[in-house]
Amino acid sequence: ISTASLKDDEEFTDILEERRRTTDLGYALRTFNPQPYKGAPTLSTSDLNKAVLESQYLCFIIKEVKTGSSVEKVKEDASVILKEMSHNLQLGFIRLMGYTLNKVFKRLYRSIYVNMEGLNMLKQAIQESPVILIPNHRSYVDFLIISYILFTYDIPVPVIAAGIRLADVTIIGGILRRSGAFYIRRAIGSDKLYWAVLLEYVQTIVRTGYAPLEFYVEGFRSRTLKSLVPKLGMMDMVLEPYFKGEVFDITLVPISISYDRVLEESLLALELLGVPRPQESITGLFKASGVLQDDYGCMHVNFGRPLSARQLCEGKINWSEYNLIPRNLPQRPTAETQDCVNWLAHLIVRTQEEGSLISPWSLVACLLLQTPFTTLTEEGLQWHQLTEKTLWLRKLVLDFGARLNWPDSEVMSSTVALHHSIVHHKENRIYLVQDEDPARQDPLSPEEGVMRMAVVVLMLVSYRNQALHVFVRPGILAIAIHITKSTRKDELFNFFCFLRDVFSDEFIFIPGRAAQDFEEACSLLQKCGAVHTSQQEVTVLETGLEVLSFLQKLLQPFLDSYQFNSTLSNNHIILFHH
């Protein structure tokens, strides 16, 4: 990895390098000696489930919801829910998973890079307080890779919150359960008993430090490869033991997983087009033609600096609210607590974004989507033009402080070859792939042709989205400059805030940080020579027109989708005041 594009204190190690030199069986059967949380009691999975069912909180809820049923019947219902939900973590199955994943990952990926400093900090943090692992979620591989890495480095493997759909996948569901997965229904609604069992199960794991707990704060796998606005339910559950004073601190570890090429790229595009996903998504994925024979480049797993809930929540929570009600009774979070959890969740997702590595292909995708469609389908984009523009964008991304994976001087050729399902390189020109099977006897029907092209364009959009977070703030300022035609900082700030609010469900903005976001945008545009800023003004420089034009075009589809571009230029002040 180009060291200039990473932070100086970070060192990424390819963990597959050593795996390729050892046998899969030797790796799976080696001594596994993790150092768990120092305060954790020794609990088996049956002990954990027993503690949940006998907890004062669940007993209270059972008595409360027993309308028309006996307490024993409701207890049985709770036991059934817990049996459906709970993990059954077993070392033997962790070893089986390790053996299988070792084989699969060596086939799929050239390298899996892990930042060892972050991993070492995690190893220490797990011994000192309950730990919550919070990765971003772009692929089914996310679900497997964290446990694989922790097993490799003798760190306690996590229990992982998963959708109930996975439990129904033949064989796989059972293996995942025995590898640490616990299953949650997607639609819980007002089922008070289910909520109570889930809450007590999660919080017993956190309170006891039974194992690191892993969940996806975005809630779902992002089908667009763009960060999703966080869901707060699980975040609230894992933090409540700290709010109630049941644990001294909780450590939150944001994890950024970045892919050169996502395994499900075409499946995600088809889902966005309304094609139902296969019922058995994981097994169907690996059955798909040639998946294990194809090349998916590199993966980077960046373990972020452990964050102390105690330090982050200081001054944000009124502890007296929690002191007035016994800990075993249900308690509705106050508006103040909800604001704190919301702020923390957004902070985690933003940290995940900042920790991700931008691939060269994401930069190429940004540029191809700003190229006329007929150029990409008919005459082709000249290779030297694409290369020059990508190198220009590489410099801009580094000026903006992003982490960039730029391995060597041949990166352009290798990245285009890697994404052969989207583009092909012919006679020094780049074209979009219009038919995956050139040996096809019958030509594609018009409908098939349109669908195929839509899939290709959506795959491009998804890879562009992986880099969007780098450009969003300066991009919004570029649009504000373009629409207001003003140089006054206060007017630009007002319009920046307006757009920031409009896009609050589209991009990740930490609540209460509008002023910092605006100053960051000004600073980045000044750093790359696009504008000059003073205390009262932001002035566009001649040298910055190319940057501003690129940023405006990048965010234009989002403006279009909100149906603003036709009205903003004339009516932005009216809209703003409304």
Side-chain angles (χ1 to χ4, degrees), residues 277-300:
R277 62 175 170 174
Q279 183 61 36
E280 297 183 354
S281 297
I282 289 183
T283 48
L285 180 64
F286 286 106
K287 285 177 187 172
S289 64
V291 161
L292 289 175
Q293 278 69 50
D294 217 337
D295 179 6
Y296 290 87
C298 300
M299 183 198 311
H300 290 82

Side-chain angles (χ1 to χ4, degrees), residues 453-464:
M453 193 49 65
V455 168
V456 167
V457 171
L458 280 174
M459 285 196 284
L460 264 185
V461 166
S462 293
Y463 284 111
R464 174 209 64 190

